[in-house]
Amino acid sequence: MENLISVVVCTYNQEDTIARTLDSILMQQCHVPYEIIIGEDCSTDHTRDICKSYAEKHPNVIRLIANKQNKGVLDNYFDCLLAAQGKYIADCAGDDFWTDPLKLEKEVTILEEHPDVTLVHTNWLCYDEEKGTTYPPHSADSKHTRPFIEGAEILEDIVIQTQRPVIHLCTSLYRRDVFLQAYQEDTYFFRNKDFGCEDVQISFIMAKNGRIAYLSDITLSYSVGNATISNTKSEEKQYRFVRQVTNLSYYLCDKYKLQSNRIDDYFRQRIFALSMHAFRCHNSAMRDEVRTLKKRWHVADNQSIRFANLIMSNNTTWQIALMARSLFVKWKKRKELLNGTIR
C-alpha cells in the first residue's frame, strides 16, 4: 500500500518486555494504516509464544516472521526491512516502548508535507528497568534539535557520536525508498557483521539524502539496566563492540571523504579505549590487534596511546599496572562506602 507504515520489531529473549512494546505500538492513533513486522530470532524463552498470541489476535496488523535459526541483530533487522511493504518505516526494539499515541501521526504528517525530509525523529527518555523510573539522556547538541536541518550538516556528527545517538532510530519514521536505493547500491554497508550495529547506517543514509526533521515531543522510553550489545559488563564484548562500530566509522569516513580534526580525535580516543579494554583483559592478542587497527585507521599517537603501549610492552609492567589498578579500585570503593556510611 502506498501510504502504509511498516513498524519493525526485532526481538530475542525478551519475554518480560515484548508485550509492552507491542501494546505501545498498537495504541497508535494515525490516519495512515500501519503494519507491525515482528522479527522473532529463535528465542530460548517464551518470547515467540507471546508474539504468536499477538499475531493471532491482530492478524490484519501483525506479521510474525519466526526465524528458523538465529540470524543475529543485523540480518534480522535488515531482513525485516526488506519484507516491509510500507512507504515509511519505523522501528521499536523489543525492550523499548513508545509513550505517545500520536507518535506516528505527527511524524507521517511531516513526511507527507515535506517531500525533501527523509527522516523524522523525536526526543526520548531512558527507562530504568529495575527502578521503573525515567530520566533524560545526555544533552543533545542544539543543532540536532532544530526543527529542520540539512542532513549534510550532521554526517560527521553521526559518524563520531559517542555519548548519545544523534538520531535515536526507535523514535524515528523514515522513507523506505531511500533505504532500498542505498541498500541496492551498497549491500555490504548494511550487511557487514563486523560493523556491529544497524542504526548508524540508516541515520547516515537518510541524512546524506535529504533533510532531517526533529520533534521535541518525548515519544520513547529507552530501556536501560539490562545487558545489551552496547551495554555489557564484559570487557571482551565491550572491546568487540567498540572495534566494530569504529570499523563502521572508518568505512564511512573513507568512502565519503570525511576529514576533520574532530574525526582525528575520535579515532585516537577509540584506539585508547580499545587499548584499555585489552589492558584490563590482560590479552596480548587484543593488544596486537589494536596496533594493527591503529595503522589501518591511520591514527597518530598521542600521549595516552603511547603510555598504554608502554604499560603493555612487557608482561611485568602489565601485571604491576593491573595490580595497582586493582588496589586503587578497592580503595575507591571502600572510600565511597565509608562516605555513604558517614552521610
Side-chain angles (χ1 to χ4, degrees), residues 16 49 92 95 123 174 213-214 255 269 284:
D16 294 333
D49 294 334
C92 190
D95 56 351
N123 199 359
Y174 59 90
Y214 174 78
K255 180 175 181 177
Q269 291 167 8
S284 58

Side-chain angles (χ1 to χ4, degrees), residues 65-76:
I65 301 176
N67 297 335
K68 294 182 180 180
Q69 59 184 15
N70 183 269
K71 296 180 178 180
V73 176
L74 206 68
D75 284 340
N76 192 26

